[in-house]
Amino acid sequence: METLLQILSPTFLLRNSVYASVLIGFACPLVGVFLIIRRLVFMGVALPQISSTGVAFALSLPLWFGFHLTDHGSQTAHTLAFAGSIVFSLAAILSLAFMERRGRGQPEGRLGTAYVVAAAAGILLLAKNPYGEVGWLDMLKGEVITISNFDLVLTIAMLAFVLVVLLLFQKELILVSFDREMALILRKNVIFWDVMLYILIGLTVSVSVLSVGPLITFGFLLIPALIAHRFAQTMIQFTLFASLIGGVSAFIGFWIAYQYDLPVGPTDVVFLGITYAMAWIAGLSSKVLL
Amino acid sequence: MFARITPGEHTQQPMHNSLIKLDNVGIGYAGREVLSGISVSIDRSSFTAVLGANGSGKTTLLKTILGLLPPITGRIEAASSGVTPIFGYVPQTSRFDPVYLLTGFEVALMGSFGRVRPGRFVPQAERTFTRECLQATGAEEFYHRRFSELSGGQKQRVLIARALTTRPDILLLDEPTAGVDHAATLAIMEFISQLHKERKMTVLLITHDFAAAHRHAEQVIWLHAGKVYQGPAQKLLTAEHLKKMLEGEMN
């Protein structure tokens, strides 16, 4: 309990990390729900990895051109990292979704390849970068300790943007996902709404990867939505439950990690995994009992 | 006698009562024609059945009329007013993914989205109208039930309610009785027929069911061996004509 009070204290040293991981816990499942209903779960796995490779790529650019980033946490580095993350995320999601729509080849194969190539490229970029071990490895491991005010503000802005867009355009996004033909017949611009959704997903993934790394991001994109789907009765419940599970799990995960001196990211994801397993068993046993 | 429309041939049809007219249209996917030279018209307040074997181009024709596929050749004319009619489309139930946690009401409400601008919430009047459409199709009891958990016949009723919610000029149904048991098939067909008679609703029905087409439809468009035939159901679907056509194919 003492640890909990410490974490909740406004003077807590790692408060930015708590706020950021909880905000990301709330935000990621909001778009993760669309990955589940559009059967794009593998994209939820590949995308954060590609996004983090974008960060590594962008931060390597100055070195390749003979510049040195003296301070890893500088505004320039952050801007570069954000640009790399968002460019890679959006390029990946738009091209993968386009190929998905064409329905040719093997989508799992494409996503698997994208994931593994992105992971390998990230390692190669880190290996050749003298700053790699300073902060990037921590980020890739999901060590949520050094969350700057900039990262926190970015995360808050992203959550607000995602919430507003989803609230305003939920009916269009659900319609084009559920019944594309009907949307076309109702003269909806389905490409516009698809791109809007992908931008939302890409933005969420980019900001999350930048703040907490790919591990937590893909954990929070998918697992809360998968848990919520077992219990929700409506799409609104599905979205709300997923977001709540994400936010609450992020907080509990942080608490456990802080209590037992564990890395936050893996703790969050393992906690979510255990919750999912328990939800699955609960669902199974209720079916047996009924 | 029935009007026989072969590829490249035209029939002179009066336009005044026509809701949709296909003029020498070629249909298909990615520039490859499945059927060509289609010249048929759908009259206002008519009940037209589109018949044909699997792969004959029924669904392709429907999608072309709906504007989901562009015609490869020819053109599709809207009614004499020149305004594209509002389509109430009833797709096959099998294409919906059960992962969506949508209730019967939420699915039916989608029909109103064409009248509600993006970023606006659906007004109460539209919700009330959707409820009325569900009532009209006998699907009110599915209001709160999850769409994916309904039976094939129940889903069809919700989808017909959704199509009515669009306030359509024409109802287009793609094999509404596919995968539905016999009793539900009869009920659905009776309901569609009743809708047509009571509301003077223009109906375009795609079906494999010759008996149902004979019983309910006034006009038939029959896609057979790469050719398109249109005529009154009572004349086109007589044993004599069917025999003649099938013999013609064998010869």
Side-chain angles (χ1 to χ4, degrees), chain A residues 96-108:
Chain A
L96 288 168
F98 175 72
M99 286 187 269
E100 191 88 17
R101 277 274 167 228
R102 283 170 65 96
R104 292 183 188 164
Q106 293 185 14
E108 295 90 346

Side-chain angles (χ1 to χ4, degrees), chain B residues 65-195:
Chain B
I65 291 172
L66 284 166
L68 298 172
L69 290 172
I72 293 170
T73 54
R75 63 198 182 111
I76 300 175
E77 290 171 35
S80 46
S81 63
V83 179
T84 309
I86 296 171
F87 298 118
Y89 176 46
V90 182
Q92 292 188 30
T93 55
S94 56
R95 56 186 278 255
F96 293 105
D97 192 331
V99 78
Y100 289 84
L101 306 176
L102 294 165
T103 61
F105 175 73
E106 286 168 329
V107 171
L109 191 65
M110 286 176 182
S112 71
F113 289 1
R115 294 186 296 275
V116 184
R117 289 166 64 184
R120 301 278 173 89
F121 292 103
V122 182
Q124 189 56 43
E126 294 290 357
R127 293 176 174 272
T128 308
F129 180 62
T130 303
R131 187 187 274 272
E132 286 167 10
C133 291
L134 283 165
Q135 267 173 347
T137 59
E140 202 193 10
E141 59 185 298
F142 316 132
Y143 188 96
H144 290 297
R145 283 185 56 192
R146 199 184 288 179
F147 180 73
S148 61
E149 290 172 355
L150 300 177
S151 71
Q154 292 169 337
K155 280 181 185 166
Q156 276 302 336
R157 284 178 179 276
V158 172
L159 291 174
I160 294 170
R162 184 179 74 163
L164 293 178
T165 310
T166 61
R167 300 180 192 268
D169 296 312
I170 177 170
L171 200 59
L172 301 100
L173 305 103
D174 189 2
E175 298 188 32
T177 55
V180 174
D181 64 58
H182 183 63
T185 296
L186 291 178
I188 288 169
M189 287 310 303
E190 278 304 327
F191 174 71
I192 295 166
S193 188
Q194 191 187 342
L195 207 61

